Amino acid sequence: MTGGESWISDPLGVVQGLFAAQRPADGDWQKNVTDYFSAKLRDSDSAAADCWKPIAPIHPCFHWPPKVPCLNDTPLHYLKPNSLVRFRCMVQDMFDPEFYMGVYETVDTNTSARVLHFGKYRDVAESLPQQEVDPDSRRNVTCERQTFYCVPVPGECPWVKDAYTSCSQAKVCASTSYAPSRQKRSYEEDEDAAPCDTRASHGLGEPKRLETEAAGAQQHLPSSCSSAPDLNFPLPGEKGPACLIKVYEGWDLFKVNDVLEVYGILSVDPALSALTEDREAVSALLDPSDDMDTLEEHRAHCPPASLVPRIHTIVTRKLQHNNPLLPPSLQGSEESKLFVSNFLSELSAVRAELLDFLSHALLGDSLAAEYLILHLISTVYARRDVLPLGKFTLNLSGCPRNGTFSELLYRVVQQLVPAAHYLPMTIENMNKLCFIPRKDYNANRLVSGLLQLSPQTSLLVDETLLEQGQLDTTGVHNVTALGNLITWQKVDYDFSYHRMEFPCNINVLVTSEGRSLLPSDCHVHLQPQMMPPNLEQYLGALLAASLPSLLNKFRTYIGLLRLLDYSISDEATKAVEDDFVEMRKNDPQSISADDLHRLLVVARLSSLSAGQTSLSREQWLRAKQLEQQRKNRLREQKHMNVNEL
């Protein structure tokens, strides 16, 4: 990297300069560090955006990342230790705050000269060989930080990964020859503030090492030590790094399952692994009943840095969404407002193309395609007491049995949304998979479950694979958890002695042969207008014929409409109430309170799908028409089933 990019290649050098420029006791240097790097990131974003403006209206990636290497798509050995990196991730677990030496003083063993050092953004204390850390210095400053265990966004779709990777301007090369030039020691606070970590100061560790980390979240290694490491990913088959994220400010603004974009200093110091080995050797000599910090917990909280790197955050952004084609927020910048305005001007044409695309995917069924659009743009926008508002779980019945169609439909959905997962609802999966995250008190970590997903993830549940069989206790709990997710948009995490509710925002699409066993907000029976002899070939050809630019329009359409605000005027509310009363007068059995609620949800989503942020009479009538067609089809299907019997 060039000298002008030293803030990326040597951020600790920049911090050192700011630390030395003023009195450390003031604490102003810490704010100056955050301000400096925030400004650099803004400048880098702006420079990249200026390069983008002359290109196309819909670029492959709206989030122009700065020239900061990304841990999501760069192998760890290609990244220089202690350089600035970024990481797009979900908070899988949070750990207790830990104490560390924010400022510490060293004493030169030859000259007795005293020097102040900063400990922030580091796992190990750095000093010259002849310098000793003075743990009793009055100039030492004890600080607090929070550790998050973060994993890549579960189910993040390939097109999202590709878009971020293709837009990255960072240039990296293998960094295999890095060797620290100064002696390093771990420096975690060794006082009453952290009583569980005082053993290192009692002669059980290396003479020049003050134990620093109770480290934080991560990967739980089984006590056998021989099995492959468990990175605690919620979904099976996931790839990518897990990281311990050290957060220094504002950690109370974040919660489990939030999606973050983290900019911080990469720490993969071998000393961290040496500490783990020392700790395990000491633990082997202790009575397990006297060892408060169990070996199992230590392995879960202090994995090798080469496996689970640490990132000391300088700037942390909570992402409103994970769609690289959209601006980070629709409010604020003029550029974002212009983007929204320009796209809304062509929205009706995009909607028509998307309807045609989904109609082909649903074998010519345009009504089912209409409801699938409404489902895809739905999101929980608020909660009224325990009721989540905005959810629209769709049960698509009449799907061909054996799962082929459902899996192919999932591939179509996966091309349209940022994160998705396909769940074959077999008896074996229900009985064996872990859906609900649980607290492991031995390792003091949250063990992930399949339903620990980031907001706005699309979950396709394939019920066409369900056959006769017996659900065991786990299976019953899993089915119950799915039902609670659909109905209440919450998952009850298992803390052994109690359950804790974690609200979520998951779009659930259930495909089934008959009506689903699971609850849903809307039931649409599929009526294929064609039946290709080879479904896989048919849908593969459909996707192959769709240009990337067209798919990008669909992805932008779905992502943007999820973020738009919507309101109903007093006048529209009064008109709906009057219409409801009139419908009840004409036929009391024709509409219930539940029907009215669903009609209002359909009207809201139908309005948004047309780019309208308030309810018009036209969209109200359109919603009534859609619902009437859907109900008529269900009645016809029920009549056909009775005749077949």
Side-chain angles (χ1 to χ4, degrees):
M1 295 195 178
T2 65
E5 295 172 342
S6 61
W7 63 282
I8 298 176
S9 62
D10 184 25
L12 288 177
V14 174
V15 176
Q16 175 61 42
L18 294 170
F19 176 78
Q22 50 193 321
R23 293 169 55 192
D26 292 343
D28 290 344
W29 69 274
Q30 300 183 62
K31 180 179 182 301
N32 291 344
V33 168
T34 303
D35 291 346
Y36 175 89
F37 282 94
S38 296
K40 283 290 187 182
L41 292 171
R42 279 195 303 270
D43 292 344
S44 185
D45 279 333
S46 299
D50 289 339
C51 295
W52 162 76
K53 285 175 183 176
I55 309 181
I58 298 182
H59 189 270
C61 183
F62 197 102
H63 293 219
W64 275 89
K67 298 178 181 180
V68 179
C70 182
L71 204 55
N72 296 87
D73 48 54
T74 306
L76 186 59
H77 63 275
Y78 274 76
L79 296 172
K80 180 184 175 184
N82 295 325
S83 63
L84 190 72
V85 298
R86 58 191 170 90
F87 185 41
R88 191 175 64 259
C89 57
M90 184 190 81
V91 180
Q92 191 275 324
D93 199 0
M94 301 173 117
F95 290 82
D96 295 333
E98 61 186 30
F99 295 93
Y100 71 100
M101 290 182 183
V103 176
Y104 60 94
E105 188 172 46
T106 60
V107 181
D108 191 303
T109 56
N110 297 328
T111 65
S112 298
R114 291 179 170 269
V115 179
L116 280 182
H117 306 260
F118 68 91
K120 194 174 183 179
Y121 310 123
R122 285 174 171 158
D123 287 300
V124 292
E126 294 197 3
S127 60
L128 297 174
Q130 72 274 18
Q131 292 177 326
E132 290 279 3
V133 175
D134 180 4
D136 300 318
S137 171
R138 293 184 178 181
R139 301 174 73 188
N140 292 346
V141 179
T142 301
C143 298
E144 190 178 23
R145 64 188 177 196
Q146 177 77 39
T147 303
F148 298 163
Y149 184 71
C150 294
V151 298
V153 178
E156 188 174 69
C157 295
W159 70 266
V160 176
K161 300 179 191 291
D162 292 344
Y164 279 114
T165 301
S166 65
C167 290
S168 176
Q169 302 169 36
K171 303 297 181 185
V172 294
C173 56
S175 177
T176 57
S177 60
Y178 171 75
S181 59
R182 291 174 289 178
Q183 179 176 350
K184 297 185 178 181
R185 310 179 185 95
S186 61
Y187 64 85
E188 176 147 10
E189 188 64 10
D190 155 9
E191 337 181 307
D192 293 341
C196 64
D197 288 315
T198 57
R199 292 193 298 275
S201 64
H202 297 162
L204 298 179
E206 291 184 16
K208 299 190 77 174
R209 182 172 284 145
L210 299 175
E211 184 162 336
T212 178
E213 291 240 7
Q218 71 289 356
Q219 194 236 37
H220 166 52
L221 287 176
S223 43
S224 67
C225 295
S226 60
S227 58
D230 169 21
L231 294 179
N232 210 14
F233 293 150
L235 299 178
E238 290 281 283
K239 296 180 181 179
C243 291
L244 293 177
I245 307 297
K246 306 289 185 175
V247 183
Y248 291 88
E249 291 97 15
W251 59 72
D252 54 333
L253 300 176
F254 308 115
K255 59 184 183 298
V256 170
N257 303 334
D258 278 349
V259 176
L260 308 179
E261 186 174 50
V262 172
Y263 294 83
I265 299 172
L266 175 67
S267 175
V268 289
D269 200 295
L272 296 173
S273 299
L275 279 175
T276 299
E277 293 170 4
D278 292 346
R279 190 68 163 272
E280 292 184 4
V282 170
S283 297
L285 302 175
L286 299 176
D287 183 343
S289 62
D290 295 334
D291 188 8
M292 297 295 290
D293 185 5
T294 66
L295 183 59
E296 190 173 1
E297 178 178 350
H298 183 68
R299 284 174 177 161
H301 285 232
C302 299
S306 58
L307 180 67
V308 181
R310 282 66 163 162
I311 298 179
H312 294 265
T313 64
I314 299 177
V315 175
T316 305
R317 300 170 178 170
K318 179 178 176 180
L319 297 183
Q320 190 178 3
H321 61 83
N322 193 35
N323 189 331
L325 304 175
L326 298 179
S329 173
L330 300 188
Q331 287 79 34
S333 72
E334 290 301 319
E335 184 185 15
S336 297
K337 294 177 181 177
L338 180 61
F339 172 84
V340 173
S341 175
N342 288 341
F343 190 81
L344 289 179
S345 66
E346 60 173 314
L347 186 134
S348 59
V350 176
R351 188 192 193 284
E353 290 177 302
L354 178 59
L355 180 63
D356 183 65
F357 174 78
L358 292 178
S359 296
H360 281 86
L362 293 170
L363 308 178
D365 189 342
S366 59
L367 179 64
E370 287 277 6
Y371 275 92
L372 184 54
I373 289 177
L374 304 188
H375 164 77
L376 290 173
I377 67 172
S378 66
T379 185
V380 176
Y381 63 88
R383 292 180 185 267
R384 184 172 297 157
D385 296 326
V386 297
L387 184 65
L389 304 180
K391 72 184 184 74
F392 194 64
T393 298
L394 181 63
N395 172 209
L396 190 62
S397 65
C399 296
R401 193 166 176 75
N402 75 22
T404 301
F405 172 77
S406 299
E407 188 171 0
L408 293 172
L409 179 60
Y410 166 72
R411 293 183 194 173
V412 172
V413 171
Q414 194 180 31
Q415 288 292 326
L416 303 176
V417 298
H421 181 62
Y422 171 69
L423 174 60
M425 193 175 174
T426 63
I427 293 293
E428 181 181 11
N429 281 343
M430 292 297 104
N431 289 339
K432 290 187 176 180
L433 292 179
C434 177
F435 281 27
I436 304 171
R438 63 177 177 83
K439 180 73 173 182
D440 180 349
Y441 287 97
N442 290 329
N444 192 22
R445 70 163 187 167
L446 183 66
V447 179
S448 63
L450 190 142
L451 296 184
Q452 187 177 9
L453 301 172
S454 62
Q456 298 185 356
T457 298
S458 291
L459 177 63
L460 192 149
V461 181
D462 184 359
E463 202 177 295
T464 66
L465 295 173
L466 191 62
E467 296 179 345
Q468 289 186 345
Q470 184 68 40
L471 288 175
D472 59 17
T473 303
T474 300
V476 171
H477 286 164
N478 284 339
V479 172
T480 302
L482 269 178
N484 287 337
L485 167 66
I486 291 170
T487 304
W488 306 111
Q489 284 293 312
K490 69 180 181 68
V491 179
D492 295 329
Y493 289 17
D494 183 4
F495 282 76
S496 294
Y497 308 107
H498 67 284
R499 299 277 176 144
M500 185 177 294
E501 291 184 2
F502 281 73
C504 55
N505 182 8
I506 310 300
N507 278 16
V508 183
L509 171 63
V510 184
T511 58
S512 58
E513 191 177 19
R515 182 164 192 152
S516 173
L517 302 175
L518 297 169
S520 65
D521 298 304
C522 186
H523 174 204
V524 176
H525 189 81
L526 183 68
Q527 280 191 352
Q529 303 301 305
M530 66 179 85
M531 188 52 71
N534 188 321
L535 274 175
E536 186 166 3
Q537 189 178 43
Y538 170 77
L539 288 177
L542 175 65
L543 289 173
S546 303
L547 296 174
S549 58
L550 181 64
L551 291 176
N552 280 342
K553 288 182 180 181
F554 296 162
R555 295 158 181 165
T556 304
Y557 173 90
I558 291 169
L560 178 62
L561 296 185
R562 286 179 176 181
L563 299 175
L564 289 183
D565 292 328
Y566 173 85
S567 62
I568 303 180
S569 66
D570 293 341
E571 182 182 354
T573 301
K574 180 67 167 60
V576 168
E577 290 174 351
D578 293 343
D579 199 11
F580 176 66
V581 171
E582 193 64 30
M583 286 187 286
R584 293 281 292 175
K585 262 186 199 177
N586 296 335
D587 184 358
Q589 305 301 319
S590 65
I591 186 167
S592 64
D594 288 341
D595 292 327
L596 176 63
H597 174 74
R598 180 169 50 250
L599 194 53
L600 286 169
V601 173
V602 171
R604 174 182 179 274
L605 295 173
S606 179
S607 298
L608 288 173
S609 75
Q612 300 177 17
T613 56
S614 60
L615 182 60
S616 65
R617 176 168 177 77
E618 177 189 3
Q619 288 301 329
W620 174 249
L621 295 177
R622 173 65 177 152
K624 288 174 63 176
Q625 181 186 30
L626 284 174
E627 277 294 275
Q628 191 60 50
Q629 291 175 358
R630 183 186 67 85
K631 289 181 178 180
N632 289 342
R633 180 180 290 189
L634 289 177
R635 277 194 290 266
E636 291 171 6
Q637 185 61 33
K638 184 177 180 181
H639 183 67
M640 287 174 59
N641 291 341
V642 170
N643 288 341
E644 289 174 3
L645 294 175

